[in-house]
Amino acid sequence: MTLMKLDIRQTNRTDVSFHDLLPSLRTLRHLLALAFVVAGFGLAAAQTPAVGTKAPDFTLQTPTGNAVDLAKERAKGTTVLVLLRGFPGYQCPYCVKQVHDFVEHSADFATKKVNVVLVYPGPPADLDQHAKDFLAKQADLPANIKLLIDPDYKMTNLYGLRWDAPHETAYPSTFILDASGKILFEKISHSHGDRTSADDILAQLKAN
């Protein structure tokens, strides 16, 4: 009678060593570390600066490619920072109306030595051209009003104002900053309308 020898090495292994598992554990550790970084960034991006705190500085470009630094703008005096909806797939009529209102009151802002910085966010593809088309609906911008594009949502995310939904870009918002960057006033709209008007800003400037 022939006896069959059983080689347990050919059966299912249960004696996996720590050395065998080490590469997998390292990969898991890296994935967990990445998850914490992403989660931490999400929490940081969700923080909108409050009245009384310093507004984060940023540098963006005009539609023609000129870099504008918020720190340099606010160093000139009081700054009104307006985040528009930009280009969510079309030119927002509420934004057109709001900017037109600010342009019409540019002389009133200039009298008070106030600069207005408009931020136009949207998907990066052709955003500069969309912004030029937007400006074509306005009179020429006066020297104390600048429009900047935010093609990668740099400023929008920095201020925790990304409206991350289909056909949306950012929550329309307005901030008044003093020369040091301190936020004196803010209004954040969670709808397309409910915008801050030039008269609202002028009244706030008088109160402050």
Side-chain angles (χ1 to χ4, degrees):
M1 181 170 124
T2 303
L3 294 177
M4 181 180 293
K5 294 182 179 180
L6 177 63
D7 188 347
I8 62 172
R9 290 176 298 178
Q10 295 177 358
T11 63
N12 293 333
R13 288 187 61 187
T14 59
D15 58 334
V16 179
S17 69
F18 177 80
H19 179 75
D20 294 327
L21 292 175
L22 192 56
S24 297
L25 291 173
R26 285 174 177 167
T27 301
L28 180 60
R29 183 181 65 185
H30 291 157
L31 289 174
L32 288 173
L34 179 61
F36 280 119
V37 169
V38 172
F41 177 80
L43 290 173
Q47 299 301 314
T48 300
V51 171
T53 64
K54 184 180 181 298
D57 288 323
F58 57 84
T59 300
L60 294 175
Q61 293 186 342
T62 66
T64 54
N66 296 319
V68 175
D69 184 63
L70 177 64
K72 292 181 179 178
E73 287 299 307
R74 60 176 176 74
K76 301 173 184 177
T78 303
T79 300
V80 178
L81 176 61
V82 181
L83 177 60
L84 305 168
R85 289 183 67 229
F87 192 77
Y90 59 93
Q91 301 294 358
C92 170
Y94 294 98
C95 296
V96 172
K97 181 179 178 181
Q98 186 181 28
V99 172
H100 179 73
D101 179 38
F102 274 68
V103 171
E104 282 197 327
H105 287 81
S106 61
D108 297 322
F109 290 128
T111 299
K112 296 181 177 295
K113 298 182 179 179
V114 172
N115 294 308
V116 178
V117 175
L118 309 167
V119 179
Y120 184 96
D126 300 321
L127 188 63
D128 54 348
Q129 186 57 52
H130 293 314
K132 291 175 184 177
D133 295 341
F134 177 83
L135 290 175
K137 299 177 180 292
Q138 309 286 342
D140 292 340
L141 293 184
N144 62 330
I145 298 182
K146 292 182 173 68
L147 184 136
L148 312 178
I149 58 173
D150 188 12
D152 55 2
Y153 300 105
K154 175 182 176 181
M155 177 272 176
T156 303
N157 286 324
L158 183 64
Y159 279 64
L161 294 170
R162 179 78 165 95
W163 191 344
D164 195 4
H167 308 297
E168 300 296 349
T169 54
Y171 293 109
S173 306
T174 304
F175 302 85
I176 299 177
L177 316 177
D178 68 10
S180 69
K182 180 181 177 181
I183 299 175
L184 307 176
F185 165 86
E186 72 176 31
K187 179 175 180 179
I188 300 168
S189 174
H190 289 83
S191 66
H192 294 173
D194 191 26
R195 305 296 182 91
T196 307
S197 69
D199 284 336
D200 293 335
I201 296 299
L202 291 167
Q204 287 293 329
L205 292 170
K206 186 176 180 180
N208 286 284

